[in-house]
Amino acid sequence: MNLDFTPEEQAFRREVREFLAAELPDDIRERVRLGRRLSADDHLRWQNVLSRRGWLAAGWPREHGGPGWGPVERHIFDEESASAHAPTVVPFGVSMVAPVIMKFGSEAQQRHYLPRILANQDWWCQGYSEPGAGSDLASLRTRAVRDGDHYIVSGQKTWTTLGQYANMMFCLVRTDPEAKKQAGISFLLIDMQSPGISVRPIVTLDGAHEVNEVFLDEVRVPVANRIGEEGQGWTCAKFLLTHERTGIAGLGHAKQALRHLKTLAGQIRHRGRPLLELPSFRQRMVKAELELMALKVTHLRVLASARDGAVPGAVSSLLKVRGSELRQELSELTRRALGPEALPFFPGFLYGDEALEPERAEYAAAGAQYLNRRKLSIYGGSNEIQKSIVAKTLLGM
């Protein structure tokens, strides 16, 4: 198996790097570099730049308006984007619901929704988790009762990321309460402006409004907004989660975090010596670097297999587990490196437009990022669940 990049792939990397240097707005680059929260307008400005270049939907085939990149090109683009401090493309439309629509949606649904996603006309959110149905997603209780050409949907969704901005939600609902848990679920596309929908903020440990609760009170959803057949929602859900978990590994972000940590450890001094020379700290940092190298090789093996037509399957769970744990470790080491400097909390700077003196601005996000990274091992299916999948599927245990 050849894990080296080809000359064509190396040329593509240079093209991406030059594009990011020329087109990424400086104010957005700086907000991302400093760990400041982006507004909806910030996200859309950058995604419109990518859309005009034809690079917004990195994983889409050409017939649906994508660039037709293979997995290696997508890996290079993600890696260079993280290195350049470009925002991550909001995944719910482009990377999550769009592949489901392509695979399971009707021709009419593809003609309607896919161009709107490419043009940033719809902001999607995910209606999966519920109170009591997170990692055990098949236990969801949101009901959809057929009423002629509509479903009447009632229930609650939680941890709905960026739902405060969304005008559309892809949602798992129970259409047959008598069937086996997985068999009674359907996949609906719901207009968030529909009567009966309310969104309430959840403020997380880091003080951010990133996730929400969504309440649905007898919301009327056209049957035409169902993807696939009634009762096929679990098949759609599993297909989507494979895409989500592979992305959560965040290899590019981990590499950028390690570079930042090395810079800090070379600048910060402990008893007159650089922190890099402190054996206990250096040992943890080197261990994290070695694990990142191993994760990269595993990721490249997956990419090499995908280039030959294979699908990630349960390996996506392995990438999710190791990638999330590694990113948590890097945020913990960064917090430890900064010591008391990581304690102050500046919400007006991190989540608004308040100014901060440059020396404080450089470290202002460290504490908040440490708290925020705790979620990585939970969302997208908790790491405990992913380890069970790996044990059963890959190890035969």
Side-chain angles (χ1 to χ4, degrees):
M1 183 177 291
N2 184 7
L3 301 181
D4 294 330
F5 292 110
T6 67
E8 292 78 13
E9 289 161 352
Q10 295 285 15
F12 175 72
R13 183 183 293 276
R14 290 191 294 272
E15 181 185 2
V16 172
R17 192 172 295 172
E18 291 168 2
F19 166 77
L20 291 165
E23 299 295 336
L24 177 58
D26 290 338
D27 63 316
I28 294 178
R29 185 195 307 271
E30 189 66 0
R31 288 192 77 91
V32 173
R33 188 184 72 82
L34 294 174
R36 303 178 73 182
R37 185 73 59 186
L38 299 180
S39 67
D41 179 68
D42 291 331
H43 282 290
L44 289 173
R45 273 198 294 147
W46 175 234
Q47 291 183 187
N48 284 330
V49 171
L50 292 174
S51 181
R52 289 192 293 271
R53 180 63 179 252
W55 287 3
L56 175 64
W60 290 24
R62 293 185 188 276
E63 58 264 31
H64 289 299
W69 291 344
V72 175
E73 287 79 12
R74 297 201 299 272
H75 166 78
I76 290 171
F77 179 78
D78 289 344
E79 192 172 63
E80 290 298 322
S81 293
S83 179
H85 304 292
T88 301
V89 171
V90 178
F92 304 106
V94 168
S95 303
M96 295 172 70
V97 74
V100 172
I101 294 172
M102 291 177 198
K103 186 169 182 65
F104 301 103
S106 67
E107 186 177 340
Q109 289 168 335
Q110 293 175 10
R111 286 200 307 268
H112 176 76
Y113 290 110
L114 297 182
R116 294 180 61 85
I117 293 173
L118 280 178
N120 289 306
Q121 291 177 283
D122 291 324
W123 188 304
W124 289 85
C125 65
Q126 182 179 24
Y128 271 29
S129 294
E130 300 180 7
S135 294
D136 184 18
L137 186 57
S139 295
L140 65 90
R141 293 183 292 179
T142 295
R143 291 283 304 277
V145 178
R146 185 73 176 261
D147 180 27
D149 292 336
H150 287 76
Y151 288 106
I152 309 300
V153 180
S154 295
Q156 178 185 352
K157 297 295 179 178
T158 193
W159 311 124
T160 309
T161 303
L162 302 181
Q164 70 269 33
Y165 302 140
N167 68 306
M168 292 295 297
M169 175 172 65
F170 55 92
C171 189
L172 292 180
V173 298
R174 188 162 299 283
T175 47
D176 186 354
E178 304 301 323
K180 178 184 174 182
K181 285 197 303 184
Q182 290 87 345
I185 295 172
S186 297
F187 193 103
L188 298 183
L189 310 181
I190 300 179
D191 186 338
M192 291 289 284
Q193 307 305 315
S194 302
I197 294 181
S198 57
V199 180
R200 300 180 191 174
I202 299 174
V203 177
T204 48
L205 276 173
D206 57 340
H209 174 200
E210 182 181 8
V211 292
N212 304 269
E213 294 178 289
V214 178
F215 295 87
L216 303 104
D217 184 12
E218 296 189 350
V219 178
R220 295 184 65 84
V221 180
V223 173
N225 284 24
R226 186 188 68 220
I227 299 295
E229 299 298 322
E230 187 170 292
Q232 195 185 12
W234 191 247
T235 301
C236 298
K238 289 191 298 180
F239 178 80
L240 185 150
L241 285 170
T242 298
H243 286 262
E244 181 185 16
R245 287 166 184 162
T246 305
I248 293 172
L251 186 62
H253 292 288
K255 292 179 71 173
Q256 177 57 33
L258 179 62
R259 283 193 291 268
H260 178 59
L261 176 62
K262 284 184 171 181
T263 300
L264 287 179
Q267 296 172 344
I268 296 172
R269 305 188 75 80
H270 177 76
R271 296 181 180 177
R273 300 167 60 193
L275 192 58
L276 271 174
E277 297 180 9
L278 184 67
S280 60
F281 186 87
R282 185 175 67 241
Q283 182 180 21
R284 284 186 65 177
M285 190 177 72
V286 170
K287 182 174 183 290
E289 184 169 15
L290 291 172
E291 290 178 349
L292 179 57
M293 292 170 63
L295 181 65
K296 179 180 178 180
V297 171
T298 301
H299 196 204
L300 288 173
R301 287 170 54 203
V302 172
L303 293 176
S305 298
R307 186 162 48 187
D308 296 332
V311 294
V315 178
S316 64
S317 295
L318 182 62
L319 291 173
K320 192 268 182 180
V321 170
R322 298 305 299 130
S324 60
E325 291 175 346
L326 182 57
R327 291 176 68 188
Q328 288 176 339
E329 171 69 359
L330 290 169
S331 70
E332 159 70 4
L333 286 172
T334 299
R335 185 183 65 85
R336 283 182 172 273
L338 290 170
E341 291 293 331
L343 289 175
F345 181 51
F346 305 98
F349 172 76
L350 294 176
Y351 309 131
D353 294 316
E354 290 185 12
L356 202 62
E357 53 268 31
E359 58 272 17
R360 282 206 176 273
E362 288 295 323
Y363 309 138
Q369 287 181 339
Y370 167 78
L371 294 173
N372 186 271
R373 296 294 184 267
R374 301 307 97 194
K375 71 186 180 187
L376 294 177
S377 53
I378 301 172
Y379 77 80
S382 71
N383 280 13
E384 290 77 12
I385 296 294
Q386 303 314 308
K387 289 175 182 178
S388 294
I389 292 173
V390 170
K392 181 179 180 179
T393 307
L394 297 181
L395 302 179
M397 299 174 64

